[in-house]
């Protein structure tokens, strides 16, 4: 009985050793980035990147070359900043390129998570559009769309662009969805209304301070040229009078 007890104890310790002592939390939301490299990250409720899924060789190359890993549990904004810098180094952040950022909130996610994700994406886009001439579109979709996209081996963003292109009459098939260059797919997915929107269709919320600063920096484009000439002439006459008095 003693030997059996010892054997049972050894077996228990061996099995316990094989079992993971801790596991990462499930992703609370997902964000896909498409600019031809196509990848998706999963974030937890604290906006840390805990998953990275690549969908083509370009994305795998970037993740490996620039040492981007979910093991570091980077804050989503920091990860996105590093990713966009990697895109720039590889020549993607140019004026002739379009980047699609797609957010997917899980049905079980808290409202606070959705708000935090939205704020993080807005911050990332506001920073990127100032630094780079690339056009950025932000969209959102649901878990059902993500599931269909995963079945086809593509990101949620590429899948939604594919659906829009089909609605616009483009003869794409699901078999070809991975072969089409993202820039071609994005152009064909855009309507005339979308193309006029620069740099992205989502209205980014600015604080009152930022709005005032933007207004101050904008040149006065609506001042009539003749009125401006009269004002300049009047100022000249006033200066002439002041000189005569002196």
């Amino acid at each position: 009985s003693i030997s059996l007890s010892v054997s049972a104890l050894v077996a228990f310790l061996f099995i316990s050793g094989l079992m993971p002592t801790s596991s990462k939390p499930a992703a609370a939301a997902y964000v896909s980035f498409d600019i031809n490299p196509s990848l998706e990250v999963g974030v937890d409720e604290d906006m840390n990147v805990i998953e990275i899924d690549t969908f083509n060789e370009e994305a795998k190359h970037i993740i490996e070359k620039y040492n981007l890993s979910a093991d570091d549990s980077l804050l989503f904004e920091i990860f996105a900043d590093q990713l966009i810098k990697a895109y720039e180094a590889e020549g993607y952040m140019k004026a002739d390129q379009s980047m699609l950022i797609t957010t997917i909130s899980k049905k079980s996610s808290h409202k606070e998570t959705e708000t935090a994700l939205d704020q993080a994406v807005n911050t990332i886009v506001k920073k990127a559009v100032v630094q780079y001439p690339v056009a950025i579109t932000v969209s959102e979709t649901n878990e059902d769309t993500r599931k269909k996209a995963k079945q086809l081996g593509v990101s949620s963003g590429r899948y939604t662009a594919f659906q829009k292109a089909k609605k616009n009459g483009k003869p794409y098939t699901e078999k070809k969805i991975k072969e089409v260059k993202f820039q071609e797919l994005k152009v064909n997915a855009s309507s005339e209304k979308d193309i006029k929107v620069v740099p992205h269709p989502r209205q980014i919320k600015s604080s009152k301070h930022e709005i005032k600063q933007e207004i101050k920096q904008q040149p006065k484009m609506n001042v009539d040229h003749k009125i401006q000439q009269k004002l300049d002439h009047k100022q000249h006459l006033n200066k002439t009078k002041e000189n005569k008095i002196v």
Side-chain angles (χ1 to χ4, degrees):
S1 61
I2 295 174
S3 60
L4 286 174
S5 298
V6 171
S7 298
L9 179 61
V10 170
F12 173 77
L13 292 174
F14 177 74
I15 294 171
S16 298
L18 292 179
M19 293 178 66
T21 55
S22 61
S23 59
K24 287 185 177 181
Y30 300 93
V31 185
S32 66
F33 294 83
D34 291 278
I35 195 170
N36 208 63
S38 183
L39 60 88
E40 177 188 84
V41 299
V43 297
D44 62 17
E45 292 183 352
D46 296 321
M47 290 297 108
N48 296 312
V49 173
I50 58 173
E51 295 178 25
I52 301 176
D53 198 1
T54 57
F55 297 101
N56 56 17
E57 291 302 320
E58 292 96 326
K60 289 177 183 176
H61 168 74
I62 284 176
I63 293 299
E64 291 173 3
K65 182 176 179 179
Y66 296 93
N67 299 316
L68 298 172
S69 172
D71 295 334
D72 298 330
S73 294
L74 287 175
L75 192 66
F76 174 59
E77 288 184 34
I78 296 174
F79 173 87
D81 186 57
Q82 293 182 3
L83 178 65
I84 289 172
K85 285 178 180 176
Y87 283 165
E88 179 194 18
E90 295 296 315
Y92 291 106
M93 301 299 287
K94 296 179 179 178
D96 61 343
Q97 298 286 314
S98 297
M99 180 162 65
L100 176 61
I101 301 175
T102 306
T103 61
I104 309 100
S105 296
K106 296 179 72 173
K107 294 174 183 177
S108 58
S109 297
H110 298 295
K111 188 67 178 177
E112 292 81 2
T113 302
E114 294 179 16
T115 301
L117 180 62
D118 200 46
Q119 289 176 347
V121 170
N122 283 346
T123 300
I124 291 161
V125 174
K126 288 171 82 171
K127 184 177 179 180
V129 297
V130 171
Q131 293 180 323
Y132 309 105
V134 64
I136 302 177
T137 302
V138 180
S139 68
E140 55 185 18
T141 188
N142 52 48
E143 286 185 278
D144 293 334
T145 299
R146 179 176 179 268
K147 185 178 180 180
K148 292 175 183 176
K150 294 280 283 185
Q151 289 172 347
L152 293 173
V154 297
S155 69
S156 299
R158 177 174 274 266
Y159 182 72
T160 53
F162 165 77
Q163 286 182 311
K164 288 181 181 179
K166 283 188 70 176
K167 286 182 180 179
N168 290 341
K170 301 302 174 183
Y172 294 135
T173 63
E174 289 187 351
K175 290 182 179 179
K176 297 288 184 180
I177 187 172
K178 295 179 75 172
E179 298 175 13
V180 182
K181 288 289 183 181
F182 180 72
Q183 300 309 314
E184 178 188 340
L185 187 63
K186 182 68 173 64
V187 168
N188 290 323
S190 301
S191 64
E192 291 182 5
K193 182 179 179 182
D194 292 331
I195 292 170
K196 292 176 183 176
V197 178
V198 178
H200 52 83
R202 174 178 285 187
Q203 182 64 40
I204 298 176
K205 296 179 181 179
S206 298
S207 66
K208 292 181 179 180
H209 174 72
E210 290 174 324
I211 293 170
K212 287 180 181 178
Q213 287 295 109
E214 289 171 3
I215 292 171
K216 286 180 181 179
Q217 291 172 2
Q218 290 175 354
K220 295 180 180 179
M221 300 298 290
N222 297 324
V223 177
D224 187 87
H225 182 63
K226 290 182 179 180
I227 295 174
Q228 188 63 52
Q229 281 185 327
K230 288 180 181 179
L231 290 171
D232 292 339
H233 181 64
K234 189 174 181 180
Q235 288 177 355
H236 176 71
L237 290 176
N238 288 337
K239 287 182 180 179
T240 304
K241 287 180 182 179
E242 287 173 2
N243 289 334
K244 286 181 179 179
I245 293 170
V246 174

